[in-house]
Amino acid sequence: MSRAWWRRNRVALPVMVVALAALAWPASETARDLWWPRGEHVPVSPGGDGRAVVGDVSLRLAEFGRAGDVPGEPPPDGYTAWRAELASEGGDEPLNCTVQLQDGDGNRYTAGSRYLPSYDDESIGVDCGGPEAGGVVYFLLPDDAEPGLVRVSALGLLPEYWSLPVP
C-alpha cells in the first residue's frame, strides 16, 4: 500500500477499529455472563485439617506421589506417572469431578492419559461427595515438571474449585 492510500485513510482506519469494538462489546455480553459462573475462578485451599470445603463437600489429598510399579509398559521416555488419592466427604449426591495436576510453572495436566498403563486401582473419574466419594487418579508429566497442586472442580459448584497443594 502506498503512502497516498495511508494518507487518504488515516482517519477512517481508527474510526473503523472503534466501531468494530463498539459492535463487539454487546455481542460478547452473553459470553461474559456465561463465563463467570462456569469457569474456575475461586480457589478454595485446605484449612489446618487438610480439608478444603466447596459447597457442602470437603475434599483432601489423602496420598500423593510417583506411581509405584508400572504394570505392563512403562510411561513413554521423558515422562513420569504420578498418583493422587482423593478423600471426599459430604454432599447427598455424587458430583463428577475433573482433576488436574498443576506444575510449578502453571501448566495443567488432566488426569488419565491414553499413554498411561492400566492400574488395578485406576478410576475413570472421581466422585466428589455422595456415598462412594473420592478415588484415585493418575497423571503423566514430563520428567522436568515439578507437581505443585491438584485442582479439582465440579460443574455444579463452579466458580469455586478445590486447590490442594501437593506435599
Side-chain angles (χ1 to χ4, degrees):
M1 291 181 226
S2 67
R3 282 184 180 251
W5 185 90
W6 285 106
R7 266 182 282 173
R8 281 193 314 268
N9 294 298
R10 69 178 177 257
V11 173
L13 289 173
V15 168
M16 185 172 50
V17 168
V18 170
L20 285 172
L23 289 172
W25 184 257
S28 68
E29 183 176 3
T30 303
R32 289 189 314 272
D33 289 344
L34 293 175
W35 172 76
W36 181 258
R38 290 193 170 93
E40 297 176 5
H41 308 296
V42 184
V44 177
S45 297
D49 62 352
R51 295 187 173 281
V53 180
V54 174
D56 60 348
V57 178
S58 75
L59 195 65
R60 71 178 173 84
L61 193 56
E63 198 176 304
F64 182 82
R66 293 179 188 269
D69 295 331
V70 179
E73 294 182 30
D77 288 339
Y79 289 87
T80 302
W82 294 85
R83 179 185 185 275
E85 184 175 342
L86 299 165
S88 177
E89 293 177 358
D92 298 328
E93 295 293 321
L95 298 169
N96 189 15
C97 290
T98 301
V99 185
Q100 295 178 322
L101 182 58
Q102 183 173 314
D103 68 11
D105 294 332
N107 300 313
R108 296 184 204 161
Y109 303 89
T110 303
S113 167
R114 64 187 178 129
Y115 297 106
L116 279 171
S118 182
Y119 291 88
D120 291 339
D121 61 354
E122 182 178 16
S123 63
I124 302 300
V126 172
D127 284 337
C128 298
E132 296 179 20
V136 175
V137 290
Y138 290 87
F139 304 93
L140 195 59
L141 270 70
D143 286 339
D144 60 348
E146 278 299 315
L149 59 95
V150 175
R151 296 171 56 114
V152 184
S153 63
L155 190 58
L157 298 175
L158 292 174
E160 292 184 314
Y161 66 93
W162 295 271
S163 179
L164 309 169
V166 300

